[in-house]
Amino acid sequence: MALENDKLIIAGREFSSRLMVGTGKYADFQQMVRALEVSGAEIITVAVRRVNISDRNKESLLDHIDLKKYTLLPNTAGCYTADDAVRTCRLAREAGLSDFVKLEVLGDEKTLFPDNEELLKAAKILVAEGFTVLPYCSDDVTVCRKLEDIGCAAVMPLGAPIGSGLGIRNPYNIKIILENIKVPVIVDAGVGCASDAAIAMELGCHGVLMNTAIAGAQDPIAMAEAMKLAVIAGRLSYKAGRIPRKLYANASSPIEGLLA
Amino acid sequence: MQVLLNGTPAEIKEGSTIADLLEQLQIGRERVAVEVNLEIVPKSAYDSHTLATEDRIEIVHFVGGG
C-alpha cells in the first residue's frame, strides 16, 4: 500500500498510526478497550488524578491497557497555570516512567481555549527538564513557532473547542501553520465526525487527536473504525495530490468521436 | 498522627514510610506517583521516606482523559 513506509515520527520515535485517541468518557472499560483496538491508535492520552482513597474497589485504568501496545500520553487537562501543568507532568513521569506529555494550560472553563502565555512558560520548563512536550495550542502560527523554538516535539493546534465537534473551523490557519512549522502538526480537539478527520489529514496535518468524537458517538466502536479509515483516506488523498478547484466544468469523456 | 492525604485529613501510624502507607491502602506502587509537601518522592525512596505529622501527601494515578 502507498502508505507502507509513511511513518509519523515524534522525537525520533516512529508510529504507523496517525490517529491518537483519548481514554475518557467511555461507558465502561470494556467499551474503551474495544474502541482503542479498532481505532488502530498507538498513542493514547490519559489524565492524572488523585487515587480514590475511600473507595479502593474501583478498577484502575491501567489494568485495562496493554502498555506494550500503546504509548501513554498523559495530559495536563484541568490545569490553568504553568505551575500546575508542570507539577502534573512531573507526577505523570513518575507514575508512567515516560517523558511524553500532552501539555495543555487552559484559559477558562467555558471555552477551554489555551492560555498561550502560561503554555509557553510551562513548555520552556518542561523541555529543559527533558520532557517530550506535545502542546495543545491555538491555531496560530506565531504561538506554534514559539513552541517549536522552545523545543516542543510537535504542535497540536485545535480545530475547534474541545468536545465541540465543530470540525476544522479555520483550515487556512492550519495550512499556514503547516507551511511554517517543521515539527509534526497534529490537530487536537474539535473533530466531530470522520470527514472532519479526513479534512485535517488532507490539509497535510501529520496526525489527529480526538476523544469525544469517538467516546461520545452513539456507537463508539463503529466511530473508532470510521476515524481510523478517515485518517488513512485523508492521508492518502493528501499524498495523492488533489486536482485544482475550477469554477466551470471540464468534461471527463472525450469530445472526439461524438455522434454527429 | 494526622496527615493530609489527597486533600482529606487522615490518621496514619506514627513513623510510617510511604511504602507502609501504600500497603495499608492496598495501592500498588508501580503505577502511582507520590508527592509529599509538593515534592515528588521517587519510587526508590518509598521504603526509606518516613512521613511526618501534618505532611501533605498526594497519591495520583492515571484515569481516562483526552
Side-chain angles (χ1 to χ4, degrees), chain A residues 173-251:
Chain A
N173 272 11
I174 301 289
K175 197 80 198 159
I176 290 170
I177 292 168
L178 282 161
E179 287 196 358
N180 290 279
I181 298 296
K182 287 181 204 74
V183 294
V185 176
I186 295 155
V187 160
D188 177 8
V191 166
C193 56
S195 52
D196 294 335
I199 285 169
M201 295 311 294
E202 285 182 325
L203 284 169
C205 288
H206 303 88
V208 183
L209 198 166
M210 64 183 75
N211 187 349
T212 310
I214 294 175
Q218 294 198 14
D219 183 344
I221 314 298
M223 190 58 91
E225 185 168 9
M227 291 301 182
K228 174 189 172 174
L229 296 173
V231 168
I232 293 172
R235 180 69 181 170
L236 269 172
S237 172
Y238 168 72
K239 298 281 265 189
R242 61 154 299 147
I243 57 162
R245 288 181 171 86
K246 291 186 295 269
L247 190 57
Y248 292 102
N250 185 354

Side-chain angles (χ1 to χ4, degrees), chain A residues 23 45 47 49-51 75 87, chain B residues 6 35 58-59 61 63 65-66:
Chain A
T23 54
T45 60
R49 291 292 180 270
R50 283 172 166 165
V51 171
N75 69 28
R87 181 184 178 199
Chain B
N6 282 3
E35 195 190 70
E58 297 284 351
I59 306 174
H61 66 160
V63 301

Side-chain angles (χ1 to χ4, degrees), chain A residues 1-24:
Chain A
M1 172 162 128
L3 293 180
E4 208 172 324
N5 292 313
D6 181 51
K7 306 282 188 200
L8 168 64
I9 300 171
I10 301 175
R13 285 189 56 185
E14 276 191 13
F15 300 93
S16 299
S17 170
R18 292 174 179 273
L19 173 60
M20 306 175 190
V21 298
T23 54

